[in-house]
Amino acid sequence: MESLLLKQLEETVTFIQNIYPQQPEAGIILGSGLGNLVNEINIEKEISYSDIPHFPVSTVEGHSGKLLMGTLSGKRVAVMAGRFHYYEGYTPQQVSYPVRVMKQLGVHTLLVSNAAGGVNPGFNVGDLMIIKDHISFFTVNPLIGKNEATLGARFPDMSEPYSKALITKAKAIGERLGFNLKEGVYTGVTGPTFETHAEYRLVKAVGGDAVGMSTVQEVITAVHAGLKVFAVSVITDIGIREEENKITHEEVLAAAKEAEPKLTQLFKEMVAVI
Ligand code: HPA
């Protein structure tokens, strides 16, 4: 008998394909305050999450909650303007459900952005950090539970969650555009609290360069599904500093806005070369 998950995925995908039958190549998930890429997309269909069967509904400020289907840099894309976070109360499976939908729609590559706190002392607010690896021990793994063998392996390999080939392409693009791209390890946490001083120090001690409340569950699900992944953090605050260490959501959104044009250009050029 078909599982509930497979049945739901089929209903979601059929609904979207009835509205937009063309097959997207790339899936894009945009982080907090990083939605401007949508202005570069030739949007052919816009679907509210609330209309899509089995899709959770986004609640956090700065997330608009729409699936956009169209073209960017000459490629068909499916773009999530607004994502789901574990701290909103969704299960890890709900958080990463849209990634499974993208895979079923035909996407082969996933591009992800997020706002993150810097713990590498060499980082500055507004830096873009290419995610070369992640640490997910501080979050709940979205693959816990019965494994659907048709969706992916029980024990997925995680030796290269972020495509090295895509990172090489991004660095070349960054160099050409004169961007000073950083590279590092993203550490996923549940939020919604920002970290204490001791926690920022812990993240640094375990090898993290940045810390944030999204991305790892989506990326784990993408790797499970066999998607290639490219992800970038916008460093919106320096958690590791001892002084002036009050962080607000407004500050995070403002810093994300500042750095957004660079991220938009990078993603636009990446889509052209995937
Ligand atoms: N910590 C966790 N998540 C974040 C931060 C941070 O400092 N900044 C933006 N998202």
Side-chain angles (χ1 to χ4, degrees):
M1 201 186 73
E2 198 183 37
S3 78
L4 181 62
L5 172 61
L6 293 180
K7 187 167 171 293
Q8 289 183 337
L9 272 174
E10 201 180 303
E11 285 170 6
T12 305
V13 168
T14 303
F15 175 87
I16 295 168
Q17 285 177 335
N18 279 338
I19 294 172
Y20 190 82
Q22 295 88 336
Q23 181 177 321
E25 279 192 61
I28 303 177
I29 304 178
L30 300 172
S32 303
L34 301 170
N36 260 358
L37 181 74
V38 303
N39 299 328
E40 303 290 325
I41 297 162
N42 167 32
I43 300 171
E44 290 165 341
K45 288 285 177 213
E46 189 174 303
I47 314 172
S48 285
Y49 292 161
S50 52
D51 292 336
I52 305 177
H54 312 301
F55 242 58
V57 175
S58 185
T59 60
V60 81
E61 188 191 335
H63 294 259
S64 52
K66 280 180 290 196
L67 181 66
L68 310 173
M69 310 295 293
T71 59
L72 174 68
S73 307
K75 302 253 167 72
R76 287 198 186 284
V77 291
V79 181
M80 285 182 71
R83 59 143 63 93
F84 306 105
H85 302 85
Y86 184 62
Y87 65 74
E88 293 177 86
Y90 301 112
T91 64
Q93 290 78 15
Q94 285 177 306
V95 167
S96 49
Y97 185 77
V99 175
R100 293 191 153 140
V101 171
M102 285 179 173
K103 164 75 181 183
Q104 305 277 317
L105 288 172
V107 157
H108 57 70
T109 301
L110 182 68
L111 279 74
V112 183
S113 67
N114 61 52
V119 295
N120 181 323
F123 288 179
N124 293 303
V125 169
D127 279 350
L128 300 190
M129 181 190 88
I130 296 172
I131 302 180
K132 67 173 182 195
D133 207 346
H134 74 218
I135 296 170
S136 90
F137 297 158
F138 305 120
T139 59
V140 182
N141 196 301
L143 303 180
I144 289 173
K146 181 180 182 298
N147 187 57
E148 234 18 280
T150 54
L151 300 182
R154 172 71 291 187
F155 300 107
D157 173 71
M158 291 293 284
S159 59
E160 193 187 325
Y162 302 87
S163 160
K164 286 197 177 123
L166 292 180
I167 290 174
T168 302
K169 287 179 181 177
K171 284 180 173 169
I173 292 168
E175 216 150 281
R176 177 162 49 76
L177 296 174
F179 294 173
N180 179 18
L181 296 178
K182 303 285 182 359
E183 196 177 346
V185 174
Y186 178 89
T187 310
V189 291
T190 66
T193 45
F194 291 113
E195 290 64 42
T196 64
H197 287 298
E199 287 165 346
Y200 282 120
R201 284 197 300 269
L202 172 68
V203 170
K204 180 164 176 267
V206 297
D209 295 293
V211 55
M213 306 174 196
S214 65
T215 302
V216 289
Q217 292 169 334
E218 294 151 348
V219 170
I220 287 171
T221 305
V223 172
H224 181 247
L227 298 180
K228 278 183 284 180
V229 178
F230 175 72
V232 173
S233 288
V234 174
I235 304 300
T236 56
D237 50 270
I238 303 298
I240 206 71
R241 74 190 169 193
E242 288 291 337
E243 72 290 352
E244 290 175 48
N245 205 14
K246 285 235 183 307
I247 299 167
T248 64
H249 186 53
E250 289 66 38
E251 179 189 342
V252 166
L253 292 180
K257 272 278 151 285
E258 281 278 316
E260 190 173 27
K262 275 169 139 181
L263 179 77
T264 297
Q265 205 174 349
L266 177 61
F267 269 26
K268 204 171 138 185
E269 302 228 2
M270 281 302 286
V271 169
V273 298
I274 59 166

